[in-house]
Amino acid sequence: QVQLVEFGGGLVQAGGSLNLSCEASGLTFSSYTMGWFRQALGKEREFVGAIKVSGVTTYGDDSEKGRLTLSRDNAKNTAYLQMISLKPEDTAVYYCAAQRSRLSYNDYKIRRGEYEYWGRGTQVTVSS
């Protein structure tokens, strides 16, 4: 049974940082692109970024690259999302998801393509 479990969410003041992790089990981690999405209350789900098996990253908003860092440890079956300089508008439930690498063949597929497995999410709340 495949499981993706997110850790690291919580309440933080604006300007603070959080490190999210996503632990995967039941799948061949090195065959999957790992994506991060978020959904704020009353809003649509938003692509945050993704990291391929090779370590190549795609960010939802290039202007946010300086605040976000994607990484993965294939030996630990874990993906990471580091966020700094957090803003109240970053408040959302953050989800990790796994997409088969063979489907991650272009930017559109990575951003909007099908992700086969999803975690249950972790709440990130940024207070002003």
Side-chain angles (χ1 to χ4, degrees):
Q1 183 181 359
V2 175
Q3 278 193 315
L4 302 180
V5 182
E6 300 93 343
F7 296 94
L11 173 64
V12 63
Q13 287 189 331
S17 62
L18 281 175
N19 296 323
L20 306 185
S21 60
C22 171
E23 296 183 5
S25 60
L27 52 69
T28 303
F29 190 73
S30 58
S31 295
Y32 287 84
T33 292
M34 298 303 295
W36 288 91
F37 296 80
R38 68 184 184 185
Q39 188 165 20
L41 196 62
K43 295 189 177 181
E44 292 188 354
R45 188 176 64 198
E46 177 184 17
F47 173 76
V48 176
I51 182 166
K52 290 185 174 183
V53 174
S54 62
V56 171
T57 54
T58 300
Y59 289 89
D61 184 343
D62 282 342
S63 68
E64 297 290 350
K65 272 185 183 179
R67 296 200 304 124
L68 306 178
T69 302
L70 294 164
S71 61
R72 65 188 290 160
D73 186 333
N74 291 333
K76 294 183 178 180
N77 289 1
T78 302
Y80 304 95
L81 172 62
Q82 295 175 294
M83 304 184 289
I84 65 171
S85 302
L86 284 162
K87 308 171 186 177
E89 48 265 44
D90 293 318
T91 295
V93 178
Y94 284 71
Y95 300 90
C96 68
Q99 180 183 72
R100 289 185 185 269
S101 292
R102 59 180 173 84
L103 299 179
S104 308
Y105 53 82
N106 64 28
D107 189 75
Y108 179 86
K109 287 293 187 182
I110 291 170
R111 292 172 182 273
R112 298 186 178 275
E114 180 181 347
Y115 281 75
E116 190 169 347
Y117 303 107
W118 291 81
R120 291 189 174 184
T122 185
Q123 176 71 45
V124 170
T125 302
V126 184
S127 63
S128 57

